[in-house]
Amino acid sequence: MAILLQAKDRLLSRLKSLTKIQLKQRFNHTLEPQMCREMCSDSFNQEVDVSNWKTVDSRNLGITRAMIPQPSWVVLKILKSQGFQAYLVGGCVRDLLLRRVPKDFDVITTANLKQIRRQFHRSEIIGRRFPICRVHIKGSVIEVSSFETVAKHGEGKETVLLSQIPYGCDEIDLVRWRNSIHRDFTINSLFFDPFLNKIYDYANGISDLRCLKLRTLIPAYLSFTEDCARILRGLRIAARLGLSFCKDIDTAMHSLSSSIERLDKSRIMMELNYMLSYGAAESSICLLRRYNLLKILLPFHAAYLDQQAGKITAENPMMLMRLFFNLDKLVSCDRPADYTLWVGLLSFHQALVSDPQDAFVVWVFASVLYHGKWKEGVKFARDRAKEPVKFVPEISGFSEIESDEQLAVKVTELALSVQDCVNDLTKASSGYVFVSKKIERNVQQIFDVLVNSIESYNSGKRSHIIDYDMLGKGNLVETRFVLGKIILKTISGGLVAGEEEIDEEEMPEVLDKDSVENYLAKKNRKRGLQPSSAELKLKTAKKCKWTEKFSSINHELSMNKEDVVPKEEVEEIHKAVKNCQLPDKELKVRTTEKHKWIENSCHFDQELSINEELVQKEGSQQLGEETQKAAKTCQSPEEEIKVNPEKILEKKDRHSLSTEGTNKKRDKQKRADDKKKNGLLLSSLFKEK
């Protein structure tokens, strides 16, 4: 500690005589690639300017702890309760600032990986180069990393001299800063402390978000050389958020695009799945083509796009881009698809380009996948496939085939062609091979139903609502359904059957309820969608349920009122009250009280009728005296009513004990006469008043 304090004092004296070297000068993004490589060894041996460090109240930016899902919040609280610092970090903080639903919520802590694993029963440490601890909690998987991991990884590359430690910063500030400079982009270097409601920004990440700009923390050439996967990650983030690249990133991506061939094929598959399954497929394909990465990964489709680039018109759009456009309308970051969906789309398109098909055959192919039944799919295609499909070279023409047997043969041949194209993706001739044999088998199973016994195919799916949970797990029935829907929307250029029921599903509660509703409303307005009929039916059903409930209650009340006092007598009572000539306000209050009293009196009618003699001899006289007192003051005798039933019931109980075993049947007409008599008595009392 003494050495540390001495180092800080030395830094103060140096700051007085030396001009500060700005952090942005240290990370000069306009350096040539050769200069970047030369500075690799000493890029961290410069002084640090803390003027760019910012601590912002998250609530001022609209971020609160209520937006954190319960599983992530539990992990944070457990680590905090054990004395460790814990933060949300990376893309989740970025997405919250942009009012987007994060794909996941990553946690970073001062605990090491072994300490993290001891805190949770279901957890495991994975990864070699950058190991993390995966925590399974409440049905979710939370990735927890340690500050210690990055610190160890930086040993030998980074030397933070004591003279570099900024004056006035504490140890945890230094730990966070040191971690942030090892991250890929400035907008991913933000830390959020939900316990203190603070966001820590050490690289102007918030400013870059406001400008929708993507920057690396160190020169882009050096950053991409250290980890070429950052090229794909940068393209994915830019495609999803609509960010622009700074000049050095643009130059470095063009120069280092071929370096991604060094990546493991599972890593390539993961990055491509993030691009194409989370609602940004169309823009991702465009960026991959722009930086010559599509030629490496998907050379067939890259050649197709190059060939069609000069032929794009409103009348002749590119079918591949329309397919991914319609895919983006159905999936999103919080409702992703499985990789089998986009691999199936690529294979389907490649089959059409290699062997153009009749438009009606494509209609039936997609309709059977969508409806899950052969007969229903054929009927739908015959009813809807009237207009010509304008996709060249994929569609050869249109001729409605009359025979279902011939049609089944054509559809089966197309399905076999698609399966062959899936197989081509696993061969070296198709470019860099990133599709494994396991993925090939899973995708081919989608089209097996169109090859084997197509006329007896029945998926068993009963609705046109997308089950996003099953879609994300790669369920074959759900994947076929969505694949057929995308193709139908592409070739029809409009809605398909059940469209209004498909477009919107209920959102998983990732954020707090209000935020989720606002997010859905904004997304619906952006896409031009209205609430789905499923949602409207649910709301209508709830309204009808409550309407029936209240109508039945009102009916019961009205029946009770009719049993207590006839309508004519109620009118007479109203006239009697008016004759009191009270002020309007007081008259309304007292009239309301009288109505309450009349309604309450219905509860005693049964007791009065059961013990007729008791009511006539004792109860009527007592009730008459009390009502006279109430009428004199023009007030409802609520207190007397509460007391009298008890007295009457006591006498009734004594009477019932003495008359036990007697006949309990009463004459209904006699009871009705007694009710009328009691009503007339009450009305006469008010008339006297």
Side-chain angles (χ1 to χ4, degrees):
M1 181 60 70
I3 297 174
L4 183 62
L5 292 175
Q6 291 176 6
K8 290 182 178 180
D9 292 338
R10 288 198 300 270
L11 177 61
L12 273 178
S13 61
R14 291 181 63 186
L15 291 176
K16 293 179 181 179
S17 58
L18 298 175
T19 303
K20 292 182 179 180
I21 301 178
Q22 299 292 331
L23 189 59
K24 62 182 179 180
Q25 292 177 342
R26 168 179 169 263
F27 294 153
N28 186 359
H29 289 195
T30 61
L31 294 175
E32 295 296 329
Q34 181 62 31
M35 296 177 63
C36 293
R37 289 189 288 269
E38 291 176 356
M39 68 179 292
C40 181
S41 60
D42 59 350
S43 61
F44 294 97
N45 292 333
Q46 301 185 30
E47 296 180 9
V48 180
D49 179 20
V50 299
S51 62
N52 290 329
W53 292 12
K54 297 180 180 66
T55 301
V56 184
D57 191 324
S58 64
R59 292 167 293 189
N60 295 337
L61 300 175
I63 301 178
T64 62
R65 67 182 65 178
M67 295 181 176
I68 304 173
Q70 188 65 18
S72 301
W73 179 243
V74 170
V75 171
L76 289 165
K77 286 199 298 185
I78 290 175
L79 292 171
K80 186 73 172 179
S81 65
Q82 297 301 315
F84 302 110
Q85 296 292 327
Y87 309 90
L88 291 176
V89 66
C92 63
V93 186
R94 173 200 70 211
D95 290 343
L96 289 175
L97 286 170
L98 292 174
R99 302 294 188 274
R100 289 176 173 266
V101 178
K103 177 174 64 68
D104 46 35
F105 287 77
D106 295 333
V107 176
I108 190 167
T109 178
T110 52
N112 60 44
L113 293 178
K114 292 183 179 179
Q115 290 172 327
I116 297 170
R117 188 172 57 182
R118 283 198 294 266
Q119 305 303 321
F120 304 97
H121 298 293
R122 298 180 58 203
S123 61
E124 72 272 1
I125 298 174
I126 62 171
R128 296 180 180 178
R129 187 180 179 190
F130 291 100
I132 60 172
C133 186
R134 298 183 65 187
V135 178
H136 300 263
I137 185 168
K138 295 190 175 184
S140 300
V141 179
I142 309 300
E143 294 186 354
V144 185
S145 57
S146 172
F147 284 109
E148 184 183 83
T149 302
V150 176
K152 287 182 177 179
H153 180 74
E155 290 178 0
K157 294 183 180 180
E158 170 193 356
T159 305
V160 180
L161 301 178
L162 290 176
S163 59
Q164 287 180 252
I165 300 176
Y167 181 77
C169 77
D170 55 18
E171 183 179 353
I172 190 62
D173 257 328
L174 185 62
V175 170
R176 288 191 296 259
W177 168 79
R178 191 177 182 183
N179 182 274
S180 70
I181 62 177
H182 283 284
R183 296 192 171 271
D184 48 8
F185 304 103
T186 58
I187 59 175
N188 290 340
S189 65
L190 303 170
F191 300 87
F192 173 35
D193 187 342
F195 303 100
L196 300 178
N197 291 307
K198 290 184 178 180
I199 294 178
Y200 300 95
D201 180 8
Y202 299 97
N204 283 329
I206 295 177
S207 177
D208 289 340
L209 274 179
R210 287 172 179 161
C211 300
L212 294 178
K213 185 178 181 181
L214 193 68
R215 284 195 311 115
T216 52
L217 284 105
I218 58 177
Y221 194 95
L222 176 59
S223 178
F224 297 157
T225 301
E226 290 180 352
D227 184 5
C228 58
R230 291 175 177 175
I231 298 175
L232 295 175
R233 198 178 309 134
L235 293 175
R236 183 233 306 172
I237 294 172
R240 178 176 168 240
L241 303 180
L243 305 181
S244 61
F245 295 132
C246 57
K247 186 177 180 180
D248 70 320
I249 287 183
D250 185 79
T251 303
M253 282 186 175
H254 279 295
S255 302
L256 299 174
S257 59
S258 60
S259 64
I260 65 168
E261 295 183 22
R262 300 198 303 264
L263 290 174
D264 185 74
K265 63 181 180 181
S266 61
R267 180 66 180 276
I268 293 249
M269 190 67 187
M270 181 186 72
E271 291 294 343
L272 281 179
N273 190 52
Y274 285 152
M275 288 183 182
L276 305 179
S277 294
Y278 286 75
E282 184 185 19
S283 53
S284 296
I285 291 290
C286 291
L287 288 177
L288 287 172
R289 178 171 175 264
R290 175 182 172 184
Y291 291 100
N292 301 318
L293 293 170
L294 199 62
K295 292 181 179 179
I296 300 173
L297 302 173
L298 299 167
F300 181 89
H301 298 88
Y304 162 82
L305 292 176
D306 291 340
Q307 183 182 7
Q308 297 293 314
K311 303 177 183 179
I312 302 175
T313 61
E315 294 77 16
N316 185 29
M318 283 193 290
M319 187 176 186
L320 179 63
M321 304 311 292
R322 294 299 299 177
L323 287 169
F324 282 110
F325 170 78
N326 288 314
L327 170 62
D328 290 341
K329 292 177 66 176
L330 297 180
V331 299
S332 60
C333 196
D334 53 299
R335 300 186 302 186
D338 185 64
Y339 60 84
T340 53
L341 182 58
W342 60 265
V343 174
L345 279 175
L346 288 172
S347 303
F348 166 76
H349 179 261
Q350 183 172 337
L352 291 184
V353 175
S354 302
D355 184 15
Q357 297 289 322
D358 185 88
F360 186 64
V361 174
V362 179
W363 265 97
V364 176
F365 177 90
S367 184
V368 172
L369 289 175
Y370 177 73
H371 289 92
K373 297 178 181 178
W374 167 253
K375 292 184 178 180
E376 189 173 341
V378 173
K379 182 179 182 301
F380 177 83
R382 292 192 186 279
D383 293 339
R384 299 296 183 93
K386 303 299 182 183
E387 297 182 2
V389 180
K390 299 178 181 179
F391 287 115
V392 179
E394 295 87 354
I395 304 299
S396 60
F398 182 86
S399 59
E400 189 170 353
I401 302 173
E402 296 182 0
S403 171
D404 286 358
E405 289 76 12
Q406 293 179 357
L407 194 58
V409 172
K410 293 287 186 181
V411 173
T412 299
E413 290 176 354
L414 176 56
L416 287 170
S417 178
V418 174
Q419 288 183 329
D420 291 340
C421 292
V422 176
N423 188 20
D424 289 342
L425 293 176
T426 63
K427 297 178 180 178
S429 58
S430 64
Y432 180 79
V433 178
F434 60 89
V435 178
S436 65
K437 288 291 183 181
K438 179 181 178 181
I439 295 175
E440 176 195 0
R441 289 192 299 271
N442 292 341
V443 177
Q444 286 183 340
Q445 287 179 2
I446 298 174
F447 307 99
D448 281 343
V449 295
L450 302 181
V451 176
N452 306 320
S453 62
I454 182 175
E455 296 184 7
S456 62
Y457 171 55
N458 187 346
S459 67
K461 186 175 177 63
R462 297 181 178 180
S463 70
H464 288 158
I465 299 176
I466 300 176
D467 186 338
Y468 283 96
D469 182 55
M470 300 303 293
L471 181 65
K473 294 178 180 179
N475 178 269
L476 290 176
V477 173
E478 208 64 37
T479 303
R480 291 187 191 110
F481 167 72
V482 177
L483 181 63
K485 173 178 172 56
I486 293 170
I487 298 172
L488 283 177
K489 290 187 70 175
T490 301
I491 61 178
S492 67
L495 303 180
V496 296
E499 174 73 32
E500 65 280 4
E501 297 182 6
I502 297 173
D503 280 338
E504 288 299 331
E505 283 288 295
E506 184 180 358
M507 271 267 298
E509 287 191 5
V510 180
L511 307 179
D512 64 295
K513 186 176 179 181
D514 293 336
S515 298
V516 171
E517 290 178 355
N518 293 335
Y519 169 75
L520 278 177
K522 290 180 180 178
K523 188 162 65 173
N524 286 346
R525 287 196 297 269
K526 182 178 179 181
R527 295 179 177 180
L529 299 176
Q530 299 297 327
S532 66
S533 62
E535 293 174 341
L536 294 176
K537 287 180 181 178
L538 181 61
K539 292 181 180 179
T540 305
K542 289 182 179 179
K543 288 182 180 179
C544 292
K545 182 179 178 182
W546 282 106
T547 302
E548 290 180 9
K549 184 175 181 179
F550 284 120
S551 63
S552 62
I553 293 173
N554 290 333
H555 179 68
E556 292 177 3
L557 290 175
S558 62
M559 293 296 292
N560 290 337
K561 289 179 182 179
E562 291 177 1
D563 290 341
V564 177
V565 181
K567 183 177 180 181
E568 297 176 355
E569 297 180 13
V570 173
E571 293 176 355
E572 294 178 0
I573 294 174
H574 277 293
K575 293 179 181 179
V577 174
K578 289 181 180 179
N579 292 333
C580 293
Q581 296 180 354
L582 296 173
D584 292 341
K585 185 175 181 181
E586 187 177 357
L587 179 61
K588 290 180 180 179
V589 174
R590 297 192 179 189
T591 303
T592 305
E593 293 176 351
K594 284 182 172 58
H595 280 294
K596 291 181 180 178
W597 173 56
I598 292 170
E599 290 178 4
N600 290 334
S601 65
C602 70
H603 298 295
F604 310 29
D605 286 345
Q606 188 175 0
E607 287 83 358
L608 291 173
S609 61
I610 292 175
N611 302 282
E612 294 173 2
E613 294 180 359
L614 182 63
V615 171
Q616 291 176 356
K617 294 180 180 180
E618 300 178 1
S620 296
Q621 183 179 358
Q622 187 174 5
L623 182 61
E625 293 174 357
E626 291 159 358
T627 52
Q628 287 178 3
K629 293 179 183 179
K632 289 179 182 179
T633 58
C634 254
Q635 295 177 351
S636 59
E638 294 178 358
E639 296 181 359
E640 289 83 356
I641 289 174
K642 292 179 181 177
V643 175
N644 289 337
E646 296 177 0
K647 294 180 180 180
I648 295 173
L649 289 175
E650 289 178 2
K651 294 178 181 180
K652 181 197 72 172
D653 292 337
R654 292 196 300 270
H655 177 74
S656 61
L657 289 173
S658 62
T659 59
E660 184 177 1
T662 61
N663 187 8
K664 295 183 180 181
K665 294 183 179 180
R666 301 292 190 275
D667 186 4
K668 294 183 179 180
Q669 185 62 36
K670 190 175 181 181
R671 282 185 292 175
D673 294 339
D674 290 336
K675 289 181 183 180
K676 188 173 182 180
K677 188 185 296 182
N678 290 334
L680 291 173
L681 176 61
L682 295 175
S683 62
S684 62
L685 289 174
F686 280 111
K687 286 181 180 180
E688 291 176 2
K689 179 62 181 178

